[in-house]
Amino acid sequence: QVQLVESGGGLVQAGGSLRLSCVASGRTFSIYVMGWFRQAPGKEREFVAAIRSNGGSTYYADSVKGRFTISRDNTKNTVYLQMSSLKAEDTAVYYCAAGQPRHVELQTAYGYWGQGTQVTVSS
């Protein structure tokens, strides 16, 4: 079992930055692909970014490429999402997820999810 707890969300002005963190319980964090997803009001949850277990490969949605950076620290059981140049359309609840998906964008391939953290970008 893995429990995930996100933090770092909040209210920020457009153009600003935030760093989200997701801490995982359990001793097997390092074997999992970690992903970030988001759900805006009235929209379906969507893929944002993912990172392989050793941190060697990262993946991003086109909408955040060049603005967001995913990283992980396996010694701290933590995955981060550094968000810069934030836009109003980035407003959403952000979730981290853990799994061993072949296709990192596929939500159903992640077995563990956090409760989410709200990010609100004011324009």
Side-chain angles (χ1 to χ4, degrees), residues 42-112:
K43 295 188 177 180
E44 294 187 352
R45 191 162 57 186
E46 64 177 5
F47 170 76
V48 175
I51 186 167
R52 292 286 178 189
S53 57
N54 62 3
S57 296
T58 56
Y59 309 84
Y60 298 94
D62 288 343
S63 59
V64 307
K65 230 173 250 184
R67 300 188 299 120
F68 290 11
T69 302
I70 189 171
S71 61
R72 67 189 295 162
D73 185 341
N74 287 344
T75 66
K76 296 181 178 179
N77 281 13
T78 303
V79 62
Y80 305 98
L81 186 68
Q82 177 67 49
M83 306 185 295
S84 303
S85 301
L86 283 161
K87 306 174 181 179
E89 51 263 44
D90 294 318
T91 295
V93 177
Y94 284 72
Y95 299 89
C96 73
Q100 295 176 307
R102 179 171 297 180
H103 303 291
V104 298
E105 306 88 352
L106 192 60
Q107 297 185 43
T108 54
Y110 290 82
Y112 304 100

